[in-house]
Amino acid sequence: MSELSRSVRTPGAVLMGLGSIVGTGLFVSIALATQVAGNAVIIAVFIAAVVAALNGLSSAQLAAAYPVSGGTYEYGNRVLGSRIGFTAGWMFLTAKSASAATAALGSSGYLLYTFGIEAGPFLFTGISLGILLLLTVLVSGGISRSNTANKVIVGFTLFGLAVLAGAGLWVNGIPTEPVALAFTGLEVDSLLFASALMFVAYTGYGRIATLGEEVAEPRKTIPKAIITAMIVIVVLYGIVALTALQAMGAEAFGATLNGEAAPLMVVAQLMELPLVGLIVSLAAITAMAGVLLNLILGLSRVMLSMARRGDLPQKVAVINPASKSPVTAVWLTGLIIALLVLSGDIRFTWSFSAFTVLIYYSITNLSAFLLPAELRLYPRIIPALGFVSCVGLAFWIQPEIILLGTGFIAAGLLWHEAVLRTGHKKEIA
């Protein structure tokens, strides 16, 4: 069986994680969560961070124990059996394809807003598909090329966010007012729904785990990279949320998504400082392009793992000998994302991603809880709390999204049962 190249070290793995997180999470989902919870989005940011930290530790110890591509799909197969493992892989594909579609649509929205183009649905969707095509071509060239591009993208994105935060401090001072208003008129159901939406914005750290077969010294590198990425992102989310709320208030900030999908661009323009709006807008475009790049990487590696086990056609597992890339899996990933991009609805794609990814990480935590003692890095209380948190937040999503997600689980299990009956399912040690 062909193997991938172990060429990603700790700095590259951290940047892969950040590249998967710093995008739709900052430039779209904070505004979505603000629509739901108002100033209490500040609390939602930290509730989601705690849940994500628990999941991050569970992912880290599983990836260290089983350093192969596939993430929780592989862990579930090895610890919980093929049906639960398949459900994890199926939920990852659906959740992250929806997140990737959100990134493509969000990137298109910021691009159009930056250049003052009033686009109808056809042009908006067409530009989103064009961005997706360019990044699919890039990822098909292999991990080294993707890793280099990701470093450039993340570097510029972090610079843009630093400019936004600095401008916010210069114009509006220290953002104390949003913190004072966060507990005013607090509604628990809205807070938990917002926390579920924000949770998705943290889950890019899982990309480090899904690339386990391409990471050097995985038992040491993966936990360190996941924990580092989580610390950086919690700080970033808190600063950006406070800056946005201080600049224009919760109601006005949440309402930015009712027009263009460019909420932080609106915040930057309100500051009326030279070049700040342009820098933030370009950072938003690069950030969401980075998220899309890393999601294509992660999704294609899960498809690779599923094909190796027989849950997808064997042709999907072919690795190009020159680029060391699973080219078929990459292009299949791009096609699935493209179908979701055609919906043209950021709220739908993000909410659907929230439910399915919470189910995925519920399985992650359950796998970590049942991990043999000799393979465990952290105490069982961590995955236990992570499991309860994920299941709890999953059912604060809109009922119609829950029904749709449950239907996808059922459809996937029917497919898996058909595969089992044909005898094509493989066991991998």
Side-chain angles (χ1 to χ4, degrees):
M1 180 172 60
S2 298
E3 293 186 354
L4 301 170
S5 173
R6 292 194 181 276
S7 58
V8 181
R9 300 192 176 274
T10 301
V14 171
L15 290 173
M16 284 288 183
L18 291 177
S20 302
I21 300 170
V22 182
T24 44
L26 278 167
F27 293 95
V28 175
S29 72
I30 289 178
L32 281 171
T34 303
Q35 281 187 337
V36 173
N39 283 289
V41 69
I42 299 298
I43 304 172
V45 164
F46 288 98
I47 290 175
V50 171
V51 177
L54 295 170
N55 293 335
L57 292 173
S58 292
S59 296
Q61 66 178 359
L62 285 163
Y66 306 115
V68 294
S69 288
T72 301
Y73 169 74
E74 276 296 323
Y75 315 146
N77 268 285
R78 293 171 189 244
V79 180
L80 300 170
S82 67
R83 289 176 178 83
I84 302 298
F86 175 84
T87 300
W90 189 247
M91 287 295 91
F92 184 87
L93 292 181
T94 53
K96 294 307 177 181
S97 295
S99 291
T102 305
L105 292 165
S107 185
S108 179
Y110 271 94
L111 186 65
L112 291 167
Y113 193 93
T114 300
F115 294 101
I117 300 172
E118 293 187 11
F122 182 79
L123 179 60
F124 177 57
T125 304
I127 292 175
S128 302
L129 290 172
I131 293 169
L132 172 62
L133 176 61
L134 287 173
L135 289 170
T136 304
V137 170
L138 177 63
V139 172
S140 68
I143 190 67
S144 295
R145 192 165 77 179
S146 301
N147 195 14
T148 300
N150 184 67
K151 289 176 181 177
V152 175
I153 287 169
V154 173
F156 184 78
T157 302
L158 294 177
F159 168 71
L161 291 171
V163 169
L164 176 65
L169 284 173
W170 179 268
V171 174
N172 300 310
I174 298 173
T176 56
E177 185 178 353
V179 177
L181 293 173
F183 293 92
T184 303
L186 183 63
E187 296 180 3
V188 173
D189 55 346
S190 297
L191 175 62
L192 293 176
F193 182 17
S195 298
L197 293 175
M198 282 307 307
F199 173 76
V200 190
Y202 284 99
T203 55
Y205 59 77
R207 213 69 60 253
I208 300 168
T210 60
L211 297 172
E213 198 172 321
E214 293 162 280
V215 173
E217 300 181 88
R219 189 170 179 84
K220 175 183 175 182
T221 299
I222 292 173
K224 185 187 297 184
I226 288 177
I227 292 167
T228 303
M230 279 299 303
I231 292 170
V232 172
I233 205 62
V234 170
V235 174
L236 277 176
Y237 279 9
I239 290 173
V240 171
L242 287 169
T243 300
L245 294 176
Q246 181 81 348
M248 60 189 306
E251 185 176 352
F253 179 56
T256 56
L257 280 176
N258 294 333
E260 303 285 347
L264 290 190
M265 181 64 186
V266 177
V267 173
Q269 288 180 333
L270 284 175
M271 295 175 187
E272 298 182 344
L273 292 176
L275 296 178
V276 171
L278 178 61
I279 291 171
V280 171
S281 185
L282 293 175
I285 295 167
T286 60
M288 283 183 279
V291 167
L292 187 53
L293 181 150
N294 282 283
L295 285 170
I296 295 170
L297 271 171
L299 283 161
S300 61
R301 271 51 178 182
V302 172
M303 283 191 180
L304 168 68
S305 185
M306 294 179 79
R308 284 172 171 174
R309 285 187 176 273
D311 281 325
L312 291 177
Q314 289 298 305
K315 289 183 179 180
V316 179
V318 174
I319 295 174
N320 184 290
S323 64
K324 293 294 183 181
S325 171
V327 176
T328 304
V330 170
W331 282 103
L332 181 57
T333 296
L335 176 61
I336 292 170
I337 296 169
L339 293 174
L340 285 165
V341 166
L342 292 175
S343 74
D345 187 344
I346 284 177
R347 292 175 187 83
F348 166 75
T349 55
W350 196 256
S351 296
F352 184 62
S353 179
F355 177 76
T356 47
V357 82
L358 282 162
I359 299 301
Y360 173 82
Y361 278 105
S362 298
I363 297 172
T364 302
N365 284 294
L366 187 57
S367 300
F369 183 81
L370 296 175
L371 200 63
E374 64 271 16
L375 296 177
R376 198 177 303 124
L377 297 176
Y378 312 115
R380 276 185 165 173
I381 187 64
I382 289 174
L385 290 172
F387 177 81
V388 171
S389 300
C390 284
V391 172
L393 285 181
F395 291 95
W396 288 96
I397 308 293
Q398 305 103 304
E400 59 271 24
I401 296 293
I402 294 174
L403 288 173
L404 181 61
T406 304
F408 263 78
I409 294 173
L413 287 173
L414 287 173
W415 165 265
H416 182 64
E417 290 302 316
V419 170
L420 289 177
R421 290 178 184 276
T422 63
H424 290 158
K425 179 76 176 180
K426 296 182 180 180
E427 294 299 325
I428 300 176

